Amino acid sequence: MLLRVRVTLPDRPGTLGQVARTLGVSGADIVQVVVLERLGGRAVDDFTVVWPGAGRLERLMAGLAAIPGVQVDGVWRAIGAPTATGQDAELLAQVAANPADGLATLVDAVPGLLAADWAVAATVPVDWASSGGGVATVGYASWRTPVAPILPEVTPLRSRAMTAPDGGHYAVAPFGRAGLVLVVARGAAETLSPAAFHRTEVDRLSQLVRASAVILGDRLDLVGAASAPAPGGRS
């Protein structure tokens, strides 16, 4: 299966090579490395690896933990192919080419881009600020979304990452109109522990949402009319 492994490591020569060797010795086939951050002598890297189904993740985790200064931030299943240069532009081109299905296209594509489980376009009342919030409702959901998704509190409407008490991670980004917000989720699993959304991932999501809002314009105002309640979530 395809896994995403996020590690924080010292930003010095040789450490990245040690991590790569440990992944290889443990049975992982590295297909991509993405640097999310370099700051204060530390780096945050995402490794996308092909992992054998019979492999023991405990061996991998122990090997990485044995490297001085290395911290494993998360290991989770990646959906779709590794991120490639130009995917965001291609997605926005698809949204622009067929704006009638533009929101559905965006929601379906984002989980693959951010190694997430599912995404929904949710709405809150346009007067949420003066009324103290409101129940979030689902306008469109990606194909892996649970039948009754429990949404996080999305108000105030601003781009950010959050973690639920059950260990699930969310990233949210508002469209800037009609009380509409995109919610992306990574759920906790029995044997895997996903990493929280990094600020670079939240920035990427926010840029995609803002650009899509410009492309789709007034079409977004129609989403709320077709929304259905999302049990368990308050905004």
Side-chain angles (χ1 to χ4, degrees):
M1 59 181 171
L2 201 63
L3 291 181
R4 186 68 59 88
V5 181
R6 180 168 299 172
V7 297
T8 299
L9 65 158
D11 189 12
R12 60 172 180 259
T15 305
L16 181 60
Q18 286 181 282
V19 171
R21 284 193 297 273
T22 299
L23 288 169
V25 169
S26 300
D29 182 13
I30 301 173
V31 295
Q32 187 182 58
V33 182
V34 175
V35 179
L36 296 178
E37 175 184 303
R38 278 197 173 99
L39 183 66
R42 303 281 288 174
V44 180
D45 293 352
D46 269 2
F47 292 82
T48 302
V49 304
V50 176
W51 182 255
R56 295 183 56 189
L57 283 173
E58 294 85 354
R59 180 185 178 190
L60 171 62
M61 301 291 283
L64 292 174
I67 304 174
V70 170
Q71 172 185 318
V72 180
D73 296 332
V75 179
W76 69 103
R77 189 162 186 170
I79 305 301
T83 302
T85 302
Q87 281 184 320
D88 292 8
E90 176 61 26
L91 172 57
L92 293 174
Q94 293 176 18
V95 171
N98 185 13
D101 295 325
L103 183 61
T105 299
L106 176 68
V107 174
D108 280 335
V110 160
L113 295 180
L114 296 181
D117 294 327
W118 52 268
V120 299
T123 58
V124 296
V126 293
D127 63 345
W128 63 266
S130 59
S131 64
V135 176
T137 59
V138 174
Y140 188 85
S142 67
W143 70 277
R144 290 175 55 88
T145 302
V147 174
I150 298 177
L151 303 183
E153 295 192 8
V154 297
T155 55
L157 292 181
R158 56 182 175 83
S159 298
R160 65 192 188 279
M162 59 188 71
T163 299
D166 65 359
H169 300 294
Y170 299 91
V172 300
F175 284 83
R177 63 188 303 157
L180 189 63
V181 60
L182 189 58
V183 182
V184 188
R186 288 181 187 142
E190 183 176 348
T191 58
L192 301 175
S193 178
F197 286 92
H198 191 269
R199 62 174 174 268
T200 59
E201 295 176 303
V202 176
D203 288 345
R204 184 183 183 189
L205 178 65
S206 181
Q207 291 167 9
L208 284 170
V209 167
R210 288 199 303 266
S212 297
V214 172
I215 295 170
L216 298 176
D218 294 344
R219 291 179 182 272
L220 296 177
D221 297 334
L222 304 176
V223 176
S227 298
R234 279 198 59 83
S235 54

